[in-house]
Amino acid sequence: MAGPSSETFGRKAVYVCALPGVGAFTLGAGFSQNITSLIVCRFFAGLFASPGLSIGTAMLSDFLPPEKRGGPVAIFITTVQMGPILGPIIGGYVTETKNWRWTQWVILFGLAVALVVTAFMSETYKAVILKRRGKRLGVQPAPELKSSGLENVKFFVTKTITRPFYMMLTEPIVALFDIYNAFNFGLLNAFFAAFSWVFQNVYGFGIGATGLTYLGQAVGSVAGLMIVLYIYNFDWAKENKRIKEGDSNANMAPEKRLIIAQIGAPMFPISLFWFAWTARSDVHWISPVIAEGFFSCGNLLIFTCTGLYFTDCYGALYSASAWSSCTFIRYLAAFAFPLFVIQMYEGLGVGWATSLLGFVALALVPVPFALSKYGEQLRKRSKFSSGE
């Protein structure tokens, strides 16, 4: 809902409405006296926090032309991925030295900074800027909504709230990357539980030391960022320069973005099989930590490619809706995967439980290669396709 709402009311309006809700429910979670109130507060805190991810790449596309998006989008997505990595490290030591409630207070400290930044940010969505400018100049905008309140609500529901789900069901590009990212993100969140189980039960690590093992994922994320920045500064820059020499208004084909997913896709199953058969007491703990790094690198490359490809395919007008559909299904998977992963590890053992996930990851490897071949045809058939 946040993405398409930002396409109706503007990016800043959504942030300004959402962030106080995040703060209120995080505060409620910190003061919770039972598990029920904690779960409810954490749910609504996450709900209000979701616009940060679903709007971020679309917001960058508002003021960056396609040839200049690659680096900034990669940096943005890296910071998004570093959050779940640094969370267990900070949370582990905060819980050991203080208590669990301090995990919520730390979030509030970061939220205070975000609120200050949001207060001074400017609107970036062009349609809203033009509408406000026209209102100041006394220019009547084209009627987008019907006159009656009921028809206004109907327009908002059919054109705004339901658009992400419609795109998920009718756009093969959106559907494929939604499924791919849902599996990757569900696995990432499942591994926060699985890694803790493995390093505590196999290697005898404590809570704090287990949190430090996530530094392998941090290194992998930074490595993924370096790969994207290299391709952005050399491959994509060269391609854009060649295209602009022929036509100054032309842009690089969105399918050129898929190279980073094609690099990241094989890393995913490799890292899973690596972790599966080296996370043993007779193998040094650094081996599964390095496997985590490859896992995180592949995850970031696929995630970054999704943001760039959606933005290039659907432009500033509809990319937030496409990204919202991806965010919805990703967080649905992130909720579901941790519910069964520990039971799976206990039942199958580390080797076969992780290998089972590796086979699923292997089946998804062809996705970016298939879109590289058929993506242009799919875009031509889409009514949401951007002309950028």
Side-chain angles (χ1 to χ4, degrees), residues 69-336:
R69 288 175 191 159
V73 169
I75 293 170
F76 166 73
I77 289 178
T78 302
T79 61
V80 171
Q81 185 151 317
M82 291 297 281
I85 293 169
L86 295 176
I89 299 173
I90 297 170
Y93 281 104
V94 165
T95 301
E96 282 189 334
T97 57
K98 294 287 187 179
N99 57 60
W100 71 266
R101 296 185 191 278
W102 271 88
T103 60
Q104 304 305 301
W105 309 152
V106 170
I107 294 173
L108 287 175
F109 297 152
L111 187 62
V113 177
L115 281 167
V116 172
V117 172
T118 303
F120 291 98
M121 71 177 282
S122 300
E123 179 57 56
T124 61
Y125 191 53
K126 294 175 185 176
V128 172
I129 293 173
L130 291 173
K131 188 183 297 184
R132 291 174 182 173
R133 186 179 299 167
K135 188 175 181 180
R136 285 199 305 269
L137 297 173
V139 178
Q140 284 290 342
E144 295 179 356
L145 300 179
K146 305 296 183 179
S147 56
S148 74
L150 183 60
E151 289 176 325
N152 286 349
V153 171
K154 182 180 178 182
F155 176 90
F156 181 72
V157 170
T158 57
K159 299 297 184 183
T160 301
I161 296 180
T162 61
R163 187 187 296 144
F165 301 101
Y166 181 80
M167 292 182 74
M168 187 192 304
L169 296 173
T170 61
E171 295 287 315
I173 290 172
V174 176
L176 285 170
F177 266 120
D178 280 3
I179 293 169
Y180 206 166
N181 280 278
F183 175 74
N184 293 355
F185 197 64
L187 204 53
L188 177 66
N189 282 269
F191 273 2
F192 291 140
F195 288 162
S196 298
W197 187 89
V198 168
F199 284 104
Q200 288 174 13
N201 288 276
V202 176
Y203 293 104
F205 285 14
I207 296 176
T210 299
L212 288 176
T213 63
Y214 293 104
L215 289 174
Q217 291 196 44
V219 173
S221 295
V222 173
L225 174 61
M226 293 300 104
I227 292 171
V228 177
L229 292 179
Y230 178 85
I231 294 173
Y232 167 65
N233 284 303
F234 293 97
D235 186 29
W236 292 340
K238 188 186 298 183
E239 179 69 12
N240 275 306
K241 183 179 180 182
R242 183 187 65 80
I243 292 172
K244 293 293 184 184
E245 286 174 353
D247 182 355
S248 60
N249 294 318
N251 292 305
M252 183 178 73
E255 284 67 42
K256 291 289 184 180
R257 304 291 195 189
L258 294 168
I259 180 63
I260 55 176
Q262 291 169 348
I263 296 171
M267 287 185 180
F268 229 67
I270 289 171
S271 66
L272 291 171
F273 290 123
W274 182 348
F275 186 91
W277 301 108
T278 63
R280 306 197 312 260
S281 58
D282 59 332
V283 177
H284 196 278
W285 57 263
I286 195 64
S287 182
V289 169
I290 295 172
E292 286 184 42
F294 274 82
F295 170 84
S296 183
C297 183
N299 200 342
L300 182 127
L301 291 173
I302 295 165
F303 195 23
T304 303
C305 178
T306 303
L308 289 169
Y309 193 49
F310 277 2
T311 304
D312 284 2
C313 286
Y314 302 110
L317 190 60
Y318 297 118
S319 60
S321 290
W323 196 244
S324 288
S325 75
C326 185
T327 301
F328 171 78
I329 196 169
R330 284 171 71 248
Y331 280 97
L332 194 63
F335 158 76

